[in-house]
Amino acid sequence: MEFRVHPAKRGLRGEIQVPGDKSISHRALMLGALAEGITEIDNFLAGEDCLNTARILRQLGVKIRQTGQTRLIVHGRGLHGLTEAGDVLDVGNSGTSLRLLLGILSGQPFYSILTGDESIRRRPMGRVVEPLQRMGARIAGRNGGKLAPLTVLGSPAGLQPITFSSPAASAQVKSAVLLAGLYALGETTVKEPAKSRDHTERMLQAFGADVKMEGLSASCRGGPRLAGQKLAIPGDISSAAFFIVGATIVEGSDLVIRGVGLNQTRTGLLDALKIMGADISILNIHDQTGEPVGDLRVRTANLHATEISGELIPRLIDEIPILAVAALFARGATVIRDAAELRVKESDRIETLHQELSRLGGEVEVLPDGLIIHGGRTLAGAGCDSHGDHRIAMAAAIAGLKCQGQTTVRDVGCIGTSFPEFGSLLADLAGGLEYL
Ligand code: S3P
């Protein structure tokens, strides 16, 4: 499938909602499965990544019922109630499913095999496998256990707690170790070089686990009884990001996005855009199952360049593709550094952004750990490729709203992993979008 995008016919105006947060939806399913009793999940993201987590949990004996388009009921099995699957567990494109489930499966007494699509089988798994092995997990995989498919032999005697200093600010690594820590006797601690998203810690607390968060470290005590919860998943700021930037760069926009998750570990894009001159206000902040949620009002603004680096990077890591699009329309050269993690996402986003933004006529330089984007040039529509990466596809489509002529984005089926409604929402708001 491909998109044909034409220059926006009008400003992005009105009120929208974006689907539930992907990271939080995965965690709600997993903790619901490990809890005792029923977990009700509202505003669940029914994108392919989270549906893959649900399918795998069903393979492990968990009953999950869909009672509405975005409403699920998980019948928890308790910490020790999962059962051996009859087949390989396939996460598709989802790194969060693979890494977090690896943590959970490390503590089970049975055998599992985890695999995924071509992109997943290229992504580094050693960063999760190594600390889990230190806890006593028995994991093997391609390239000495660094690449999927990965087999987990099971640990009938449980795991040992560790204190792990993670070299990367990665929530997937932190979460895998903390989830394995549920199966260890004592306290497991993860220290990070910069704070990554803390949804696992917050949700473990909501389910009744003994979790401590202190600065850059998070600890979890093994063997808790987790109790089923009623959860309402906040809208995904990583999906809202495309419309935040769209409304900022398309003239005549005034858009309200309701019910967006505003956890501090995820709001780096708002901070960066504000520094660049964006007009964003936050309204109606409230707490929703342990997560801050609010409405965003975004109006068109003229942007100027800035430098994005250091501790800001983990707080906007998934938003860099769309931030790079904002930088294309900002005055001056925007420098993005300390973001080498981009190279091991769904695609090598430093390379894929360089390729696709250059095709549109952008002037982009590649750094080993980032990009320099020279903004303010007039861009002409062109043929872009998603590289199978949902966020590259959506970023290119938003850029197309401000290019002269037609922009084609090929292979946009991947958008279904995180934001299946993206195309129809964009067509309703801006017009000028065709699907082929
Ligand atoms: C995620 C953590 C981040 C992020 C990914 C989702 C999560 O990855 O990029 O899209 O749900 O924990 P890393 O943990 O690899 O930084």
Side-chain angles (χ1 to χ4, degrees):
M1 199 168 72
E2 71 178 36
F3 283 162
R4 278 189 193 162
V5 189
H6 300 276
K9 293 199 173 117
R10 51 183 180 268
L12 276 55
R13 300 181 77 86
E15 274 186 29
I16 60 165
Q17 261 182 305
V18 290
D21 188 273
K22 180 151 80 73
S23 293
I24 302 178
S25 294
H26 282 296
R27 286 154 172 85
L29 281 173
M30 292 180 199
L31 294 192
L34 300 182
E36 291 169 26
I38 300 285
T39 289
E40 290 180 33
I41 312 176
D42 261 322
N43 202 34
F44 173 78
L45 169 63
E48 282 155 30
D49 278 9
C50 298
L51 294 174
N52 286 335
T53 290
R55 197 192 56 253
I56 291 174
L57 290 170
R58 287 189 177 114
Q59 285 179 269
L60 295 166
V62 184
K63 188 168 158 198
I64 301 173
R65 282 188 298 132
Q66 187 164 359
T67 57
Q69 221 180 1
T70 61
R71 191 153 192 279
L72 294 184
I73 307 277
V74 183
H75 294 253
R77 307 269 312 180
L79 210 53
H80 298 285
L82 301 181
T83 50
E84 187 170 276
D87 204 349
V88 170
L89 308 170
D90 186 348
V91 302
N93 191 244
S94 175
T96 306
S97 310
L98 198 145
R99 294 192 175 117
L100 271 58
L101 285 167
L102 200 60
I104 293 174
L105 292 171
S106 291
Q108 307 303 319
F110 53 76
Y111 175 76
S112 309
I113 306 174
L114 279 160
T115 192
D117 69 8
E118 212 190 320
S119 148
I120 277 289
R121 282 180 276 113
R122 278 197 306 266
R123 295 180 66 185
M125 296 301 153
R127 52 175 62 193
V128 196
V129 170
E130 280 155 28
L132 293 174
Q133 285 173 334
R134 280 181 48 203
M135 298 176 79
R138 297 187 300 155
I139 305 170
R142 290 191 303 128
N143 194 21
K146 291 189 172 59
L147 293 174
L150 295 162
T151 55
V152 188
L153 288 183
S155 309
L159 302 172
Q160 290 98 51
I162 52 168
T163 294
F164 175 60
S165 288
S166 176
S170 160
Q172 294 181 353
V173 173
K174 174 175 63 175
S175 302
V177 173
L178 292 176
L179 290 170
L182 298 174
Y183 295 91
L185 220 60
E187 195 169 68
T188 294
T189 300
V190 182
K191 295 180 180 159
E192 303 187 274
K195 190 160 161 99
S196 66
R197 64 193 67 191
D198 60 5
H199 305 303
T200 303
E201 298 91 302
R202 286 170 185 250
M203 201 180 285
L204 275 168
Q205 279 175 340
F207 275 78
D210 183 2
V211 171
K212 279 193 253 134
M213 293 186 252
E214 276 167 18
L216 299 179
S217 88
S219 308
C220 160
R221 193 157 276 286
R225 281 186 73 162
L226 304 176
Q229 298 294 313
K230 256 184 128 148
L231 306 170
I233 310 288
D236 196 331
I237 191 165
S238 298
S239 298
F242 298 98
F243 291 97
I244 296 170
V245 171
T248 299
I249 62 177
V250 174
E251 257 121 75
S253 297
D254 185 352
L255 185 67
V256 173
I257 312 176
R258 296 248 180 250
V260 180
L262 295 172
N263 181 314
Q264 277 273 323
T265 60
R266 299 283 301 279
T267 50
L269 175 79
L270 303 182
D271 296 345
L273 285 175
K274 280 184 186 167
I275 294 168
M276 294 170 80
D279 181 352
I280 303 172
S281 30
I282 300 177
L283 316 158
N284 302 325
I285 293 206
H286 60 280
D287 179 276
Q288 198 170 299
T289 353
E291 294 279 350
V293 172
D295 302 333
L296 300 175
R297 181 174 183 192
V298 189
R299 283 174 278 198
T300 313
N302 291 320
L303 299 179
H304 51 82
T306 187
E307 172 160 336
I308 296 157
S309 59
E311 298 206 337
L312 190 53
I313 295 293
R315 297 180 54 233
L316 49 64
I317 188 72
D318 290 344
E319 287 65 73
I320 290 177
I322 191 62
L323 191 56
V325 169
L328 280 182
F329 300 101
R331 225 174 335 105
T334 295
V335 181
I336 302 174
R337 285 188 208 283
D338 304 325
E341 275 295 304
L342 290 176
R343 296 205 178 269
V344 290
K345 294 293 176 192
E346 286 83 331
S347 66
D348 174 344
R349 287 182 177 160
I350 292 180
E351 283 307 324
T352 51
L353 280 170
H354 173 239
Q355 271 180 41
E356 301 314 314
L357 302 185
S358 303
R359 282 193 221 248
L360 296 172
E363 193 186 334
V364 180
E365 292 173 62
V366 168
L367 303 173
D369 62 346
L371 294 160
I372 302 175
I373 299 150
H374 299 270
R377 292 171 53 136
T378 305
L379 302 184
C384 291
D385 197 292
S386 73
H387 301 264
D389 183 334
H390 53 142
R391 300 202 201 280
I392 298 294
M394 291 186 274
I398 296 290
L401 297 176
K402 281 281 282 186
C403 290
Q404 291 174 349
Q406 176 179 288
T407 298
T408 310
V409 190
R410 285 184 294 272
D411 187 17
V412 294
C414 52
I415 292 173
T417 58
S418 69
F419 197 171
E421 305 87 334
F422 172 80
S424 52
L425 206 49
L426 185 61
D428 285 351
L429 281 175
L433 180 83
E434 300 166 58
Y435 303 82
L436 293 172

